[in-house]
Structure formats: C-alpha cells, structure tokens
C-alpha cells in the first residue's frame, strides 16, 4: 500500500511572505523533497516545512491544455484575457473591475494572501477579503518528467506549479475561469485558465509592478463552504499533461 504525504514549504523575510511551494510524494521520497524545498528560497529569516499524511487521495487524469499568447504589451494582454473570460460567461465590466483591483493591490493596496472569488454577477465571495482563499494539496504524479518536458518547450518550474494549481481549480464544478498575475515585479507573464485550457499570456502585467493576485470566477450557484473545503482540503495528483497547443 503506497503512503502519500503532502510537503508544504513557506518562507518569509522581515514578516513578508517570499516563497511557497508544495509537493505530494511517497513516504520514501520525503527526505529528498524536504531537502529540495528547504533550498528553494535564497534569502529568508523564517522557513516552515509542514508534512502531513494524505488519507484520501484523488486523481485527475490530465492537466489543462497549454496555449501561449505573445502580445505587444500588458494592456493588449489584458484585452486578450478579458475576451477569454467573456467567452466563459464573465461580464466584461466585472472582469475589468476586478482585474484593475488586482493590479493595484486588492487588499487595501497590498497583495491578498490568496485568491479573490468573484461570482458571475460580480459579487466578491471570499470569507476574508484581505486573505482570500488558497488552493493547496495538488501536484503532478510524475512531476520530474512533466517538468523536464515543459522545460524542453521553454517553460519554467513556475509554470508547472501554476498549471497544477489551475487544473485543480478548474476541476471544481463551480469555477468557470481563473485570472492570475504574479506578485514578483520582474515576472510579467500571467495566465487565464478555462475548463479546457491554460492560456499563458506574455505579458499580462507591467514590469516593476509588485502587485499580483488571482481571481476565481464562479457560478452564482456556488456553495462557498463546499468550495473552501475543496480548495483547502481535497488532495489531488494529476496523472498527465494536457496538450501543448
Ligand atoms: N502568500 C502569502 N502569504 C502566505 C502564503 C501565500 N501564498 N501562503 C502562506 N502564507 C502565510 C500567511 O500569512 C498564512 O496565514 P493566513 O492563513 O492567515 O493567510 C501563513 O503563511 C500560514 O499559512 P498556511 O496556509 O498554514 O501555510 P502552509 O504551511 O499550509 O503552506 C503554501 C501553504 C505556502 C504551500 C501555499 O500557500 C503555496 O504557496 N502553495 C504553492 C502555490 C504555488 O504553487 N504557487 C505558484 C503558482 S505560480
Ligand atoms: P504567485 O503566482 O506565487 O506569484 O502568486 C500570485 C498571487 O496569487 C499571490 O499574490 C496571492 O494573492 C495568490 N496566491 C498565492 N498562492 C496562492 C494559492 N496557493 N492559492 C490561491 N492564490 C494564491
């Protein structure tokens, strides 16, 4: 009987979160994975590693497909993003309003610590609007070969993490789309995920902007308790990579 564990790492510097990552691995791989994750952040004054046994593991056969749009600038990138969101039933004004908020810092001018949840009718539904909700407990079953394959195609480890997270999100019946920009001021590529595809948009934010965040667009019929339980608790391994388009 295989025993799986979740390993979560987070690090901060002077009280500011600077790095977070997670893996779902077999018990025998714990020492190597703990060592790898502990070496990820370069400059920190606090690092936490949490290891938890997973008793109820679920599987997703295939990740979202991946498609890249290279655009002139972040303004054009956001036009593309809004069009994709509109095709998923998100109202243009609703999309633009919350995208603007993310670019300006959705937690009173600072970054939220998790994602914003916005209904198709434009209501924010997070229990705590400064914190948001965080998606955890997801990984690729064979992370190594998927990372290698994506790197050969010019993607980075960051993309591997983001595709895993977005795949878990879009697997929930109430989430229709996700919008994401990093809070790293040097990383301007972002994405919009739909039920089938992870659209990597380059660029999606202005260089040097320290603001970032995620928006989960959900059906009006969403059950928020159920959604939190799913995002924060349910554990998934993703078996295969979707198509590279
Ligand atoms: N951003 C900012 N602060 C964070 C954070 C994040 N992503 N994750 C944790 N923290 C801080 C918060 O202060 C949090 O307190 P809060 O719950 O009141 O917000 C505190 O750490 C404890 O958080 P907790 O949820 O207990 O952390 P954890 O030990 O379970 O680890 C992580 C969670 C770090 C693994 C998860 O948040 C994460 O970052 N996963 C990786 C996501 C990923 O792959 N991102 C890349 C996609 S591009
Ligand atoms: P990152 O892609 O790590 O640069 O994170 C970009 C933004 O997404 C952060 O500023 C948070 O607002 C949000 N975020 C970070 N981690 C998570 C998570 N695990 N689930 C949902 N949102 C997150």
């Amino acid at each position: 009987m295989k025993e799986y564990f979740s390993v979560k790492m987070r690090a901060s510097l002077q009280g500011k979160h600077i790095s977070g990552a997670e893996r779902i691995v077999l018990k025998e791989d714990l020492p190597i994975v703990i060592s790898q994750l502990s070496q990820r952040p370069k400059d920190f004054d606090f690092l936490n590693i949490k290891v938890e046994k997973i008793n109820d593991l679920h599987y997703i056969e295939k990740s979202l497909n991946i498609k890249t749009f290279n655009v002139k600038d972040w303004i054009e990138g956001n036009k593309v993003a809004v069009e994709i969101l509109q095709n998923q039933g998100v109202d243009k004004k609703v999309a633009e309003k919350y995208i603007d908020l993310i670019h300006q810092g959705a937690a009173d001018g600072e970054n939220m610590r998790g994602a914003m949840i916005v209904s198709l009718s434009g209501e924010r539904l997070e229990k705590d609007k400064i914190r948001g909700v965080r998606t955890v407990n997801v990984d690729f079953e064979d992370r190594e070969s998927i990372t290698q394959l994506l790197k050969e195609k010019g993607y980075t480890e960051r993309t591997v993490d983001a595709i895993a997270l977005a795949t878990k999100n879009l697997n929930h019946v109430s989430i229709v789309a996700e919008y994401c920009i990093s809070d790293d001021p040097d990383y301007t590529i972002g994405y919009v995920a739909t039920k089938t595809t992870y659209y990597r948009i380059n660029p999606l934010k202005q260089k040097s902007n320290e603001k970032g965040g995620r928006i989960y667009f959900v059906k009006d019929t969403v059950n928020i308790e159920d959604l939190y339980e799913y995002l924060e608790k349910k554990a998934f391994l993703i078996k295969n990579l979707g198509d590279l388009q």
Side-chain angles (χ1 to χ4, degrees):
M1 181 72 177
K2 287 179 177 175
E3 283 187 281
Y4 281 95
F5 285 78
S6 151
V7 185
K8 297 188 179 76
M9 180 280 295
R10 64 186 161 90
S12 57
L13 182 62
Q14 291 169 356
K16 189 177 185 287
H17 175 86
I18 48 149
S19 178
E22 72 160 309
R23 302 281 182 267
I24 294 176
V25 296
L26 290 166
K27 193 173 187 182
E28 54 264 35
D29 295 331
L30 281 175
I32 178 91
V33 169
I34 291 169
S35 165
Q36 282 167 353
L37 289 186
S38 71
Q39 291 171 48
R40 227 165 113 126
K42 294 287 163 267
D43 192 16
F44 59 88
D45 56 24
F46 174 88
L47 186 139
N48 180 282
I49 298 223
K50 186 161 83 184
V51 180
E52 291 167 294
K53 186 169 180 191
I54 296 178
N55 293 314
D56 190 15
L57 185 59
H58 300 262
Y59 289 88
I60 295 175
E61 273 307 309
K62 227 169 132 186
S63 79
L64 297 171
N65 302 320
I66 305 164
K67 187 174 168 66
T68 298
F69 284 115
N70 291 308
V71 293
K72 190 178 70 179
D73 55 26
W74 69 284
I75 305 278
E76 194 184 320
N78 278 286
K79 284 187 185 150
V80 171
V82 170
E83 270 172 36
I84 298 169
L85 291 169
Q86 279 184 276
N87 290 337
Q88 311 311 310
V90 182
D91 180 78
K92 187 172 187 225
K93 286 208 165 60
V94 169
E96 287 174 346
K97 174 178 165 182
Y98 292 108
I99 287 174
D100 279 354
L101 195 55
I102 290 284
H103 284 256
Q104 287 158 22
D108 296 333
E110 298 297 324
N111 292 322
M112 293 173 67
R113 308 196 296 280
M116 193 189 276
I117 307 174
V118 175
S119 69
L120 290 180
S121 52
E123 297 299 316
R124 281 185 67 178
L125 301 176
E126 315 90 84
K127 293 180 187 175
D128 176 338
K129 293 188 176 54
I130 300 294
R131 177 183 188 270
V133 65
R134 282 194 297 274
T135 303
V136 288
N137 294 337
V138 60
D139 199 357
F140 281 101
E141 187 172 34
D142 188 356
R143 167 174 281 266
E144 219 167 288
S145 61
I146 282 172
T147 305
Q148 197 186 331
L149 203 145
L150 282 172
K151 280 190 175 167
E152 280 163 14
K153 304 273 179 192
Y155 295 96
T156 61
E157 180 124 30
R158 198 193 282 261
T159 321
V160 180
D161 295 340
I163 291 169
L165 191 145
T167 298
K168 175 174 176 183
N169 289 341
L170 271 297
N171 185 58
H172 190 280
V173 66
S174 293
I175 299 187
V176 299
E178 175 185 351
Y179 175 96
C180 172
I181 52 168
S182 170
D183 49 36
D184 177 343
D186 295 323
Y187 193 75
T188 57
I189 303 174
Y191 69 83
V192 172
T194 69
K195 283 288 181 199
T196 59
T197 309
Y198 174 98
Y199 295 97
R200 188 171 188 254
I201 304 175
N202 178 20
L204 194 57
K205 81 164 194 178
Q206 196 167 23
K207 191 147 175 74
S208 317
N209 185 1
E210 292 182 344
K211 302 298 175 329
R214 286 185 158 84
I215 311 170
Y216 299 167
F217 290 97
V218 299
K219 292 179 184 168
D220 287 335
T221 52
V222 65
N223 176 324
I224 282 295
E225 290 303 329
D226 166 87
L227 185 62
Y228 269 75
E229 174 74 19
Y230 173 87
L231 296 173
E232 296 182 338
K233 300 272 160 25
K234 206 163 172 176
F236 286 95
L237 274 180
I238 305 165
K239 285 178 177 283
N240 301 296
L241 195 61
D243 300 334
L244 297 176
Q245 298 174 341

